[in-house]
């Protein structure tokens, strides 16, 4: 085919384009992903039962702040990386901020506790459930985020995949936090943080295969 | 970057608002810049001009079907260059060329010169069109090839206007994917 024919075809009756489409579609997908994560948690695990009490409520809010912080930061970067050349315009390391902040708080809370409590503060009751649940709940949000990114044009597929994993892990943690009764900062830093990092690594590995265009 | 930036960005913005004439001029200019870019890159590893034309057409399709990813607050040519570079690297990987033989990071080259000597690419639009589902083929034939308005195409085909638009949109995405696949093989 001659290039001229192609250009004629593409430019005939060209449709106007919604300039906010990238932000709108990614935003909507993340909203749907959060509903999917909360829905999976309610159906499979159930909401924690002790919520009217102040102590559990404060810890729930702390866990949500961590997870929501991750999702918000990662979404902002994702909207940049979804566009060609976006990787050159962002300092992606800021996405680690919620992890660093939680780690610091965890270290401080360990420093103020007797050493004999450390094991229990870190391992909690349900570390295995957390380790398994967060990646599993993340599957549907991850698929949704990958689906929307395939409609965009990322040019750094490893970083974009990693951010997709990070967003999915964060969304999953929002869901899991509503169930989890392990109320200690070291637990959140280690098990929530660790599993979300796993989701991020999985996203980075899968990105080049799933996002190619 | 400054040579064509302001002018081409204006054309792109007009194209995004649905100005077909501006959009045509834009694609015409970009095709010449991209042709020159890919010929320079691919001739270094002994590839033919047809192959450069194949990749360039793949990029034009990608630019078109993904034009909503251009952020009007940013410069325009870096967006084009990022796509051109991505497609070049992808093409070199798929055709098992060594990335070391082709210099990748010189954005200036894309705006340096235009190459007007087009050749036929290996893509055959008629064959690619035949692979489309009937409704998409009909919509693209009417609106994009015969130049009928969406309203006329809808009336003749007994479809709604929004169905025509959706079928054009989906059909072009499938064509873009087929051209990308062909270019890589």
């Amino acid at each position: 085919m001659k290039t001229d024919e192609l250009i004629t075809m593409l430019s005939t009756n060209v449709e106007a384009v919604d300039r906010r489409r990238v932000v709108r579609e990614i935003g909507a997908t993340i909203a749907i992903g959060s509903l999917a994560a909360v829905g999976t948690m309610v159906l499979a695990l159930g909401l924690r039962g002790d919520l009217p009490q102040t102590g559990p409520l404060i810890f729930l809010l702390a866990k949500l702040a961590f997870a929501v912080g991750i999702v918000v930061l990662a979404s902002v970067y994702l909207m940049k990386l979804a566009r060609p050349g976006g990787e050159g315009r962002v300092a992606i390391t800021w996405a680690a901020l919620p992890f660093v902040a939680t780690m610091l708080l965890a270290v401080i809370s360990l420093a103020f506790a007797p050493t004999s409590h450390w094991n229990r503060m870190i391992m909690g009751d349900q570390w295995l459930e957390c380790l398994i649940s967060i990646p599993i709940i993340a599957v549907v949000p991850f698929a949704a985020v990958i689906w929307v990114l395939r409609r965009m044009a990322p040019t750094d597929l490893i970083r974009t995949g990693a951010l997709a994993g990070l967003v999915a892990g964060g969304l999953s943690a929002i869901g899991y936090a509503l169930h989890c009764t392990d109320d200690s900062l070291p637990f959140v830093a280690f098990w929530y943080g660790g599993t979300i990092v796993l989701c991020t690594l999985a996203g980075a590995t899968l990105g080049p295969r799933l996002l190619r265009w | 970057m400054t040579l064509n930036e302001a002018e081409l960005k204006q054309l792109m913005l007009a194209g995004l608002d649905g100005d077909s004439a501006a959009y045509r001029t834009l694609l015409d200019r970009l095709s010449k810049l991209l042709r020159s870019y890919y010929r320079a890159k691919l001739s270094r590893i002994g590839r033919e001009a047809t192959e450069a034309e194949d990749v360039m057409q793949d990029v034009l399709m990608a630019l078109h079907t993904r034009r909503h990813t251009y952020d009007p607050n940013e410069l325009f040519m870096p967006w084009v260059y990022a796509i051109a570079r991505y497609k070049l690297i992808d093409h070199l990987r798929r055709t098992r060329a060594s990335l070391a033989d082709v210099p990748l990071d010189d954005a200036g080259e894309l705006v340096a010169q235009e190459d007007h000597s087009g050749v036929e690419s290996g893509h055959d639009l008629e064959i690619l069109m035949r692979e489309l589902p009937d409704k998409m083929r009909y919509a693209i034939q009417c609106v994009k090839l015969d130049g009928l308005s969406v309203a006329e195409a809808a009336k003749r085909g007994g479809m709604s206007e929004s169905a025509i638009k959706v079928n054009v949109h989906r059909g072009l995405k499938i064509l873009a994917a087929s051209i990308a696949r062909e270019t890589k093989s």
Side-chain angles (χ1 to χ4, degrees), chain A residues 1 3-4 8-17 19 21 83-85 89 150-152 212-213, chain B residues 16-17 20 24 53 56-57 66-69 74 79 82 86-87 90 94 121 123 143-144 148:
Chain A
M1 148 173 66
T3 297
D4 208 45
T8 305
M9 176 177 85
L10 294 180
S11 60
T12 303
N13 286 320
V14 72
E15 286 283 318
V17 167
R19 296 186 186 185
R21 200 176 129 190
R83 302 174 192 272
R89 289 198 289 274
R150 287 177 57 85
R151 304 157 65 87
M152 307 300 162
R212 195 170 217 174
W213 50 282
Chain B
L16 288 178
D17 288 335
S20 285
R24 199 199 148 89
E53 203 81 0
M56 183 266 278
Q57 291 187 357
R66 295 169 198 269
R67 65 195 190 283
H68 61 279
T69 62
E74 303 281 346
W79 179 79
Y86 172 82
K87 285 287 186 182
D90 197 46
R94 293 257 181 170
S121 73
H123 306 302
V143 177
K144 304 299 278 184
L148 293 185

Side-chain angles (χ1 to χ4, degrees), chain B residues 105-124:
Chain B
D105 285 303
D106 35 14
E109 253 184 71
L110 186 54
V111 287
Q113 46 188 311
E114 298 189 358
D115 188 332
H116 294 255
S117 55
V119 293
E120 289 239 3
S121 73
H123 306 302
D124 189 326

Side-chain angles (χ1 to χ4, degrees), chain A residues 103-173:
Chain A
M103 277 294 193
L104 275 176
L105 291 174
V107 169
I108 291 169
S109 78
L110 284 176
F112 281 96
T115 3
S116 57
H117 288 196
W118 284 11
N119 187 43
R120 173 150 180 78
M121 286 169 80
I122 294 172
M123 302 308 278
D125 292 320
Q126 299 287 347
W127 64 270
L128 185 62
E129 184 192 69
C130 177
L131 180 65
I132 294 170
S133 300
I134 288 186
I136 289 179
I137 299 173
V139 169
V140 173
F142 182 72
V145 172
I146 291 293
W147 175 81
V148 80
L149 285 172
R150 287 177 57 85
R151 304 157 65 87
M152 307 300 162
T155 48
D156 184 335
L157 305 188
I158 295 177
R159 283 206 176 89
T160 311
L163 273 177
L166 181 60
V167 168
L171 290 171
S172 174

